[in-house]
Amino acid sequence: QVQLVESGGGLVQPGGSLRLSCVASRITFSAYTMGWYRQAPGKQRELVASITRDGTTNCADSVKDRFTISRDNAKNTVFLQMNSLKPEDTAVYYCKASALRQYWGQGTQVTVSS
C-alpha cells in the first residue's frame, strides 16, 4: 500500500520559515509528479506548488518568490521550503503524488501567528 507521510509543520511567527517534507513509500517515486496543496478552514483545497519528474516546478502566484518545491528521488522525498510566512498561509498542507493513479498524504498543520 502506498504511503505518503508529511512532516515539518507547526507554529511559526509571521516572517518566519518552515520546511515541509513528504516521504513516499511503495511507489516508483521518480515516475510521479509531486505536489503540495493546502486547505484553510472554510476554503477549498488549492495547489501550492508542483514538481514534475524532470524537475520542472510551478508555484501558485500567492506563494511565488516565497516558497520553493524540490525533490530528492534517492530519498523518495519532496520538500516545500516556506519563507516569509504570512498568517494567510495558515492551512493544512498535503502532499500528492500523481501518475496513472494519485495518492495523498495525511496532511500537516502550518499555523502562522503572533
Side-chain angles (χ1 to χ4, degrees):
Q1 49 192 13
V2 174
Q3 186 175 37
L4 302 178
V5 180
E6 301 100 331
S7 62
L11 176 64
V12 64
Q13 294 190 6
S17 297
L18 215 54
R19 189 176 79 155
L20 306 183
S21 299
C22 172
V23 180
S25 300
R26 295 182 179 272
I27 64 170
T28 304
F29 183 80
S30 62
Y32 285 77
T33 291
M34 301 300 298
W36 286 98
Y37 291 71
R38 68 185 182 187
Q39 188 166 25
K43 296 185 177 181
Q44 293 186 338
R45 190 171 299 185
E46 64 175 347
L47 175 66
V48 177
S50 64
I51 183 166
T52 67
R53 294 176 294 174
D54 68 349
T56 301
T57 61
N58 183 259
C59 292
D61 288 343
S62 60
V63 304
K64 188 176 177 62
D65 300 324
R66 298 189 297 119
F67 291 10
T68 302
I69 188 171
S70 61
R71 67 192 296 163
D72 186 339
N73 288 344
K75 297 180 179 180
N76 278 21
T77 303
V78 61
F79 304 94
L80 184 67
Q81 178 66 47
M82 304 185 293
N83 299 323
S84 302
L85 283 161
K86 305 174 181 179
E88 49 263 46
D89 294 318
T90 295
V92 177
Y93 284 71
Y94 297 91
C95 177
K96 181 185 179 183
S98 300
L100 181 61
R101 300 181 65 180
Q102 59 187 33
Y103 304 95
W104 291 90
Q106 81 289 348
T108 184
Q109 177 71 48
V110 172
T111 302
V112 185
S113 176
S114 298

